[in-house]
Amino acid sequence: MRLTRRILMAGLAAGVLAAPAAAQTNVTLTHALAANSHYGVAAIAFKETVERLTNGRYRVTIQRNDNEREAIEATQIGTQEFTITSTGPVGNFVPDTLVLDIPFLFRDYDHARGVLDSAIGQDLLAKFTPRGLIGVAWMENGFRNVTNSRREVNTPADVQGLKIRTMENPVHMRAFQTLGALPTPMAFSELVPALQQGTVDGQENPIPVIVANNLNQVQRYLSLTRHVYSPAVLIGNPAFWNRLNAADKPAFQEAAKAAVQANRDKVSADERDGVALLRSRGMTVRETVDTAAFQAALAPAFEQYRRQFDAALLQRISDWKPGS
Ligand code: EAX
């Protein structure tokens, strides 16, 4: 008895008995931010739910990769199973999602979340499949705001001539070009060095990203332009997803729901507390900007989007009301 016990303890210490009789499948999930960010808490909720509901038959490893395009490619190829990414580079894989990246399309968080949870959002997730990806669930990044190192931004004239890093997203680039800024697309992984070296003057991101990535260390001015809602999406590898059996798939779907909830709760909390936090870290924050002037200055871009995208879909998105 005692000997058995000693062997057991030694075995546990060495980790050899930790391997269960049934095979354990390792799954990798990546995202571009810190563990305590709105992506980080979502990834942890996903991991905990998958591992709990499958009794540990699946183990989820969370890794950080600040290059979202690479993470999507790796998910497509299958060197990783899942990624949480902003829609920044997603339109280059699934062009239908670009409609969500149009500036001033969503009025507020209820509008954006409502549309993404509706048939409109579900239809867009289905468009990932023919592109070799699984759109598992819409998550979010938040409404984006301009920061820069040169001046307070209140009107479109203030961004004229500023070199602004944008995501690798043609809809966003067109918007900043139309405003007279110099849009410079690059991966998120290149952003901080580019700001440090002065390659660009500014960038734009939601409060949760500015907070999580300490962008206050490289940017002085923040203006709450809220010029565009930035969705995020949980993407899966098709071969992995389609292999999940009828017992396991619901566990992953539950996990995705838990991730969405954790993600949105954290975005809401950051929106509530983030501005005060960024001020305390030394940022100069302008809370009200001339939104109408920005919308007016974007008129030529809106014209182009209307030509590019399905007018009926745009209308359905704008008209969405709670309960519809
Ligand atoms: O997804 O590239 C960006 O600015 C994104 O907002 C960031 O990676 C979080």
Side-chain angles (χ1 to χ4, degrees), residues 17-41:
L17 294 183
Q24 191 178 50
T25 306
N26 285 303
V27 168
T28 300
L29 163 66
T30 70
H31 65 86
L33 293 165
N36 63 358
S37 68
H38 56 306
Y39 291 172
V41 294

Side-chain angles (χ1 to χ4, degrees), residues 55-313:
N55 296 316
R57 278 178 293 106
Y58 286 86
R59 205 188 121 82
V60 179
T61 303
I62 302 169
Q63 282 171 8
R64 183 166 172 171
N65 181 352
D66 285 27
N67 189 318
E68 295 188 321
R69 179 181 52 76
E70 281 179 12
I72 298 167
E73 281 167 1
T75 307
Q76 201 168 38
I77 296 163
T79 46
Q80 64 184 59
E81 285 74 21
F82 294 99
T83 191
I84 296 170
T85 174
S86 74
T87 52
V90 171
N92 302 317
F93 296 82
V94 188
D96 283 293
T97 64
L98 285 169
V99 69
L100 299 173
D101 299 317
I102 295 177
F104 297 110
L105 179 66
F106 295 107
R107 296 178 291 276
D108 51 29
Y109 280 100
D110 285 346
H111 184 201
R113 293 171 184 180
V115 167
L116 294 174
D117 290 345
S118 76
I120 302 171
Q122 293 311 303
D123 290 350
L124 286 171
L125 286 178
K127 306 278 191 198
F128 284 69
T129 313
R131 302 289 171 163
L133 293 164
I134 301 291
V136 180
W138 286 113
M139 305 188 43
E140 78 184 0
N141 197 15
F143 280 90
R144 303 180 78 88
N145 301 296
V146 171
T147 71
N148 81 101
S149 56
R150 304 228 170 240
R151 53 184 174 252
E152 269 198 39
V153 167
N154 176 30
T155 67
D158 300 323
V159 300
Q160 262 169 37
L162 285 183
K163 273 198 196 160
I164 296 191
R165 175 270 176 176
T166 67
M167 299 196 287
E168 294 162 297
N169 182 296
V171 173
H172 288 192
M173 285 165 64
R174 172 168 298 276
F176 279 94
Q177 212 162 29
T178 305
L179 291 173
L182 303 166
T184 310
M186 64 181 79
F188 188 61
S189 48
E190 297 169 42
L191 173 60
V192 169
L195 290 169
Q196 270 164 344
Q197 289 156 18
T199 317
V200 291
D201 304 307
Q203 63 91 45
E204 42 88 59
N205 249 304
I207 298 288
V209 176
I210 301 171
V211 167
N213 234 39
N214 293 311
L215 294 180
N216 50 282
Q217 289 174 356
V218 279
Q219 294 279 268
R220 166 126 186 236
Y221 300 104
L222 162 62
S223 291
L224 301 189
T225 46
R226 301 186 188 283
H227 53 275
V228 67
Y229 176 76
S230 183
V233 60
L234 172 65
I235 298 176
N237 169 259
F240 174 81
W241 188 258
N242 295 329
R243 255 197 329 265
L244 286 172
N245 65 32
D248 292 337
K249 194 169 274 178
F252 281 82
Q253 278 157 340
E254 259 328 291
K257 274 192 206 150
V260 170
Q261 193 59 52
N263 164 252
R264 288 179 176 175
D265 288 349
K266 179 66 171 141
V267 170
S268 296
D270 284 352
E271 285 286 358
R272 198 180 54 232
D273 308 332
V275 168
L277 182 62
L278 292 168
R279 278 207 174 102
S280 76
R281 292 183 190 168
M283 275 195 125
T284 302
V285 185
R286 180 158 198 137
E287 294 202 48
T288 52
V289 302
D290 194 344
T291 306
F294 277 96
Q295 288 175 334
L298 283 169
F302 290 134
E303 193 46 48
Q304 152 79 27
Y305 302 141
R306 269 193 293 273
R307 280 199 300 274
Q308 183 179 352
F309 296 104
D310 175 0
L313 176 59

Side-chain angles (χ1 to χ4, degrees), residues 3-22 24:
L3 186 64
T4 316
R5 196 189 175 106
R6 204 174 295 151
I7 291 169
L8 182 67
M9 297 311 286
L12 280 176
V16 290
L17 294 183
Q24 191 178 50

